[in-house]
Every structure is written in C-alpha cells, then in structure tokens.
Amino acid sequence: MDSLSQIPGIGPKTIDKLKKLNIIKPIDLLYHFPNRYVDFSHKINISQVKENENVTITGKLIKFQNIFTRSHKNLQKAVVVDKTGQINLLWFNQPYLSKIFKVGESYSFAGTASTFQNQKTIIAPVHGQYNTGKIISIYPETSGLSSAWFRKTIQNFSSKFLEQINETLPPKILQKYQLLDLKTSLDQIHCPKNTKILVEARNRLAAEEILSLQIRSLLSKKDWLAKKPKIKLTISPSIDKKIKKLISSLPFKLTDSQTKVLQEIKSDLINPKKVTNRLLQGDVGSGKTIIALIACYITHLNQSLSLLIAPTEILAQQHFQTFQKILKTFKVPIFLLTGSQKSNFKKIPKDAVIIATHAAIYQKSKFENQVALLIIDEQHKFGVKQRSFLGSSTNLPHCLTMTATPIPRTISLTMLGNLDLSIIDTLPQNRLKIKTFLVPENKKNSCYQWIGDQIKKTKCQVFIVCPFIEESETLTSVKSAIKEFEFLSNQIFPDLKMALIHGKIKPEDRQKIIQQFQSNQISILVTTPIIEVGIDIPNASIIIIQTADRFGLAQLHQLRGRVGRGNDQSYCYLFTESQNDKAQNRLQFLEQNSNGLKIAEYDLQTRGPGETFSVIQHGFPSLKIANLSDLKLITLGQKILNDLIQNYPDYDLSQITSESLPEQNIINN
Ligand code: ADP
Ligand code: MG
C-alpha cells in the first residue's frame, strides 16, 4: 500500500486534512504518534464500578432517551444492565446516538463514573471495538480528524502499513541495549497491549529519533571536515601587535570570557587545514559584537574580505555604526549592504568589511568568491541561513555564527556535533541585574503611572512590546500595534514623546526613529514583538512586554535583554491576563531567574516532547517523541552510535533518517 487513497474510507477531503499534518503516505500514519493514552483495559461487572476509575463495562441497553431540557440543553440518557446490576450513561448534545443504539441490544462502554443527580453515572462514555476494553490512544487534535478516526484507521490498517517497515538496527544492538524492534514499537505505540510494552515502544522510537539527529550531525561534520578554507589567514607578529593595539583602544577591558573565546576563534582562523565552523554563544548583552569585530579586523589585516550578516536592517545599521566608531582610526573600509542600501561593488576593496542583511544573498555572486570570513549574527535557526550563503563548494569561508540562545548540554550532544562551541559565560562587570515583575491586569495602570514619573524624573527610556498575535509580522500584528500606540499616546502618556516602529514602516523612516530614540528625543518606543533582536540602546532601562504569557521563555529573555545594557538599574514588566497555572509558573520562573541557560533548560523541560512550539520562538526544534532534555536518552543514543561505528563497519548510518523527523530540524551546514 503506497498511497493514502488506497485506504478504504479515505477520500480527497481526508487526504487534504492529513496533508496539513504532514501525513502524505500511509506509512506517515504510523509515525503520527499519540500524545497520551487512557487505560480502559479494566473490564468489570457493573456492580464493581467505582467512581473516578477508568473502566469498560458490557451490558444490555434497556433504556435510551433523547431529552431537551427547559434551559435548551440537549441530553442523551441511557441505562445498561448486566447480571450484577445497572448503571446510567449520559451524553451532551449527541442526538445522533439515538440512531446508533437499539434498546435490547448489548454494547461495551468505557469511561469514568461519577455521581449525577444522586445516581452513579458514566458521563460521555465511548463505545465500540476501537475504543473499549483496551488502552486507547489520544492523538494531537486537528480540525476535522478526531482521535477516534485515527484509532479506527490505524487499528484497521496498521498490519498493512507495518509490512513496509524494515528494522534499522542490527539484532545484536537491539539485544544489548534492550530495545524493542521497530515493527513492534510502531504497532504498540498505537495499540498498546499493556503499559509496560507501551513504555518500551516509546523508548525505542525516542531513541531512534535522537539517534537520527546524532547521525545527521555526525555526517555533516564529516562533510565539513573534507572542506578547506577558501582563503588562508595568518597572524604574524606584526598583525598580532595591531590586534593588541585595537583591543587597548576600546573604551572597556575585554572580560575573561571574551578573551578566551577570542583565542579560540584566532586559532581556528589560522588553521590552514580546517574551515572554521564555530558557534559563539553568549547571553544577551555579553558582548559578542566586539568579538566579531576583532575577527573581521584580523581578516582585513590579511587583505581579505569579511561579511557580517545581521537578521534585520536596524541591527545591520547598528553594527555598521559600531564598527565605524571603533575602527575609525584603523583605516578599515566598511560597507553597508541592505535591501534599501545598495553599494557599488566595484568600489569595495578586497580587504573590506561588509555588513549586510539577508538581502545580500541576492547579490552574493558579486563578492562571494572573495569572502574569507562569514559571520552570522543572532542565528536562531542554526545553519539554515549559513547554508544558503555557502553553496556546495569544497572551499569555504571560515564561518562564525553568533547566538544568544543558550545551548543546553543535551542539545549540543545531540545536534551540534558538527559545530565547535565557544561560550561567553560572564557579563561585563558593571551590569546590574534587571528587576523583573509580573503585572496582573489590575496593576497595569499604576505601572504605567510609575513609568511616566520615572521618565520625567530620570530621563530614562522605555520599550513597550505590543501584544503577541502571530509569529511572523502580518497585517494583524501591525494593526494591533498601531491601535495600542494610539491608545497609549492618547490616553496614558499624552505628554511624553513616543514613537511606533514595526516591519511595515519604511527602512529610512525606521532608521530615523531609531536614531531619535538613540539620542533620547523619544522617550517611549512602541514596537511589535518581532521587531528587534540585538538592538543596543544603553539608555533604555525599562521594557514592558504585553501578553507575556504568549511568548516562549527564550524569546522573553531575548526581549528583556534589550534593557540592562547601561549603568542604571533596569526593569522588565511582564503584563499578563492569564490565570493559567502553567503560564503563571513559567513567567514566575523568568521573574526569578536571569541566567539564559537555566531559562532555556527550564523551557525545554516544561514544554515536553511532542508539543509543537515554533523553532523561531524557542531556538530549538520540537521533536515528535524524544525529549531533548532527557540526558539519559541522549547518552543512550551516543552509546549506540559509537557502537555502530566501532563494531559494524559496514553498517549504513544513513538508513536511520527517522521518518518522524520534521524537515525543519535538519540542521547541518
Ligand atoms: P550581545 O552579546 O548581546 O550582542 P553586544 O555585543 O551588543 O551584546 O554588547 C552589549 C553592550 O556591552 C555594548 O554596548 C558593548 O559596547 C558593551 N560591552 C561589550 N563588551 C564589554 C566589556 N568587556 N565591558 C563593558 N562593556 C562591554
Ligand atoms: Mg548582538
């Protein structure tokens, strides 16, 4: 069976719905895993039914009524008997049941009993062979396809789908690591015989998913190691002297962490045999830009070109200004290349530093052969942008990627094996901890008032991040930002200078606003949530994040990092209307923690496997079944991988590509 349309009961409409879930082939149905289970395997007599226990009963239906109450509610009531007693059943708004059940016939029902109108009643029981007398699977909900639909389809056809599954691991490996075989696992994850085998099935499939990530990462590392630097760089004594001179000209002393990572990057750059592929991670405000600048300067001193890519135009502008300021007396040609700023390529000398937005990719043919060093700033989707700049040539520029997204150890063990990691783990010394507060709805106004007073008293500046509506900035988000801006400037802060900034504002105008904000002609900058990563305005010391509960923790931490960059005490106010415990706990964690790594690890643990969170929002991929914070599982994957490499030289690693892995998780280079 190789097409969904061959499955009886699946027509074009269902095929469309399945497509939305990335289910294209019958086999994909097997990889659509349940996210939870209810155990209805306990089959008992009616007299044994106790409240709050999941049970299955079988008996004769002796009464069925479809009732409309005076308050316009529609109920279905039934009574079932077996030789030991009788029990009531109750449904809401399911009149079609009267066509399904016939009084006098026998049926099985599964559910949980409680007391309704003083009588023991099973509310909303399920019925039929696919749903009773066993552990039943609950699937991620989607429009139009119910869990019951998946249960029925998969139970009916799984033996057919399973015919196409081939074991991916050698039998001895399965034995040694006590792993269930793949076929049984894919069968039992949907229709588990008991909880013990279910746990084993999930464990095997999770191990497979992790292993596939580790293999991908290993294969791309091998690929990378075969490449050579396009342009060889050196650090001669005279170059070294010039680097030292630049460093001593800075208005601050490099932190020990910065010095350490700089050393790592320097030794990468001068290695003639290996192309640098390094990820520089440092919490927001830890000072990654200056490291990038020094790397570019080294490249310049080698008469070679460096290219720094920033994710947004504003950030590119900001880097451009920083570079110009710091390198002013060092005679480095610096060029800006963005969607709105076209440079004349003929004028760019080969020892220049080009600072660009992603738009530069369209013009890369004009300079790509000369680039000796490529730096990508604020990289959240590891590798993706980088790859588009590199092509597939065997001679590559040295690559440095910078991110504020902390990398939990489990992640680096799983998927970043192809990258060398440098970490700036301390902040510059003068920083005060940002004070973070959760602000419930009824305290909003007093918070605004305090901020208004503060601005007048201290001339501090404020970011207000508008409600989170959609991930990418669309008209809806922009509209809501405009509305919020009007409300705030008319009702709340009528006597303060405010400006609004979002993606639909022309780059020149946006730049003007940023400049005015930089020079403190504007006190409050209202922005959409996606507007800025990396923006550095040390005088801004207050940030309000509206609907904070709708952001990922990592993103909130990034946004919070827009303040706390100067010498003054900074404040972050998280507005939320949510009473939800989980949301409250997450925000409280952020309130009490400022270490990005801790926040990322908490984020990873609390969201659990299988929850589809966006990559952009969190920096990490969401897997189907494996938990990326599960160190035991990840260590198991590594052990198996090493075993395969050492003891099975003929084993083809690429056969574990895991059907279950969404495309977005491919993170090689
Ligand atoms: P990020 O790592 O988030 O990109 P930046 O590079 O933008 O951080 O640096 C944040 C701020 O800290 C900048 O204003 C920068 O000039 C300053 N800075 C960087 N390194 C140091 C240091 N060693 N001591 C003091 N300030 C520093
Ligand atoms: Mg930065």
Side-chain angles (χ1 to χ4, degrees), residues 252-255 258 284-289 428 431 536 565:
F252 46 74
K253 197 172 164 287
L254 291 185
T255 61
Q258 283 171 318
V284 278
S286 62
K288 297 183 289 291
T289 314
R431 302 285 161 76
D536 185 37
R565 294 172 162 254

Side-chain angles (χ1 to χ4, degrees), residues 591-623:
E591 207 178 9
Q592 287 151 17
N593 288 279
S594 55
N595 176 315
L597 181 60
K598 253 192 171 168
I599 291 167
E601 277 171 347
Y602 179 85
D603 200 17
L604 205 53
Q605 278 159 17
T606 48
R607 72 179 141 130
E611 279 183 53
T612 38
F613 276 73
S614 121
V615 181
I616 305 167
Q617 216 175 319
H618 288 264
F620 305 122
S622 52
L623 300 185

Side-chain angles (χ1 to χ4, degrees), residues 140-363:
E141 265 179 33
T142 51
S143 50
L145 289 174
S146 64
S147 252
W149 185 89
F150 280 106
R151 277 201 290 278
K152 184 174 165 192
T153 310
I154 294 175
Q155 284 179 42
N156 274 336
F157 300 102
S158 74
S159 58
K160 272 252 170 327
F161 306 154
L162 284 166
E163 282 168 15
Q164 296 171 36
I165 298 293
N166 295 317
E167 181 54 55
T168 50
L169 290 169
K172 277 194 182 146
I173 293 270
L174 293 180
Q175 221 174 12
K176 183 166 169 189
Y177 298 96
Q178 297 176 335
L179 291 173
L180 208 57
D181 67 277
L182 188 57
K183 243 184 210 179
T184 312
S185 306
L186 284 170
D187 181 33
Q188 292 297 312
I189 196 167
H190 294 288
C191 322
K193 277 204 284 269
N194 52 52
T195 33
K196 183 172 171 282
I197 198 163
L198 172 61
V199 170
E200 288 174 27
R202 293 191 72 90
N203 183 46
R204 160 69 205 259
L205 293 168
E208 180 107 354
E209 194 169 45
I210 288 294
L211 192 57
S212 74
L213 283 174
Q214 290 167 330
I215 288 175
R216 268 188 198 167
S217 153
L218 178 82
L219 293 177
S220 71
K221 180 173 192 168
K222 275 195 177 158
D223 248 19
W224 192 274
L225 285 176
K227 315 255 184 207
K228 296 278 168 285
K230 186 176 274 171
I231 295 164
K232 296 201 170 63
L233 304 178
T234 56
I235 299 185
S236 64
S238 85
I239 289 182
D240 201 40
K241 226 167 126 189
K242 287 181 179 155
I243 301 170
K244 289 205 174 96
K245 204 170 151 205
L246 170 68
I247 293 174
S248 59
S249 79
L250 295 174
F252 46 74
K253 197 172 164 287
L254 291 185
T255 61
D256 291 348
S257 278
Q258 283 171 318
T259 309
K260 182 193 71 191
V261 304
L262 183 60
Q263 200 48 47
E264 289 162 351
I265 292 167
K266 271 158 85 179
S267 44
D268 272 2
L269 292 180
I270 58 173
N271 185 342
K273 297 209 189 84
K274 192 174 152 243
V275 188
T276 308
N277 189 22
R278 189 169 283 277
L279 182 66
L280 172 57
Q281 193 271 322
D283 216 337
V284 278
S286 62
K288 297 183 289 291
T289 314
I290 191 67
I291 303 297
L293 183 146
I294 298 169
C296 291
Y297 185 53
I298 295 172
T299 312
H300 157 80
L301 293 173
N302 276 272
Q303 270 80 54
S304 300
L305 191 68
S306 25
L307 174 63
L308 167 63
I309 311 269
T312 64
E313 182 138 359
I314 292 178
L315 198 52
Q317 292 267 10
Q318 181 183 294
H319 284 330
F320 182 62
Q321 283 165 7
T322 307
F323 275 49
Q324 278 187 324
K325 203 162 92 196
I326 295 180
L327 293 171
K328 200 157 73 194
T329 55
F330 293 84
K331 298 201 188 74
V332 183
I334 305 168
F335 289 81
L336 182 64
L337 183 64
T338 65
S340 63
Q341 180 110 18
K342 309 265 183 295
S343 280
N344 182 350
F345 287 98
K346 289 201 187 103
K347 280 203 200 135
I348 298 183
K350 68 172 209 203
D351 62 349
V353 177
I354 303 178
I355 294 172
T357 56
H358 207 215
I361 196 166
Y362 303 109
Q363 313 187 32

Side-chain angles (χ1 to χ4, degrees), residues 52-120:
N52 300 321
E53 276 177 17
N54 294 332
V55 295
T56 294
I57 53 150
T58 303
K60 193 150 101 183
L61 196 75
I62 57 166
K63 195 171 170 191
F64 185 93
Q65 296 169 281
N66 191 14
I67 302 167
F68 288 92
T69 67
R70 255 177 280 155
S71 53
H72 303 289
K73 286 199 182 102
N74 175 219
L75 306 176
Q76 289 70 39
K77 278 185 174 178
V79 181
V80 186
V81 294
D82 69 5
K83 56 186 190 300
T84 67
Q86 71 171 47
I87 193 162
N88 294 346
L89 310 176
L90 176 69
W91 293 267
F92 300 98
N93 301 317
Q94 313 217 5
Y96 68 94
L97 290 175
S98 60
K99 296 210 179 67
I100 292 178
F101 296 128
K102 291 199 177 67
V103 170
E105 303 261 311
S106 256
Y107 299 95
S108 291
F109 293 98
T112 317
S114 52
T115 304
F116 181 77
Q117 291 173 346
N118 280 331
Q119 285 179 319
K120 208 183 271 177

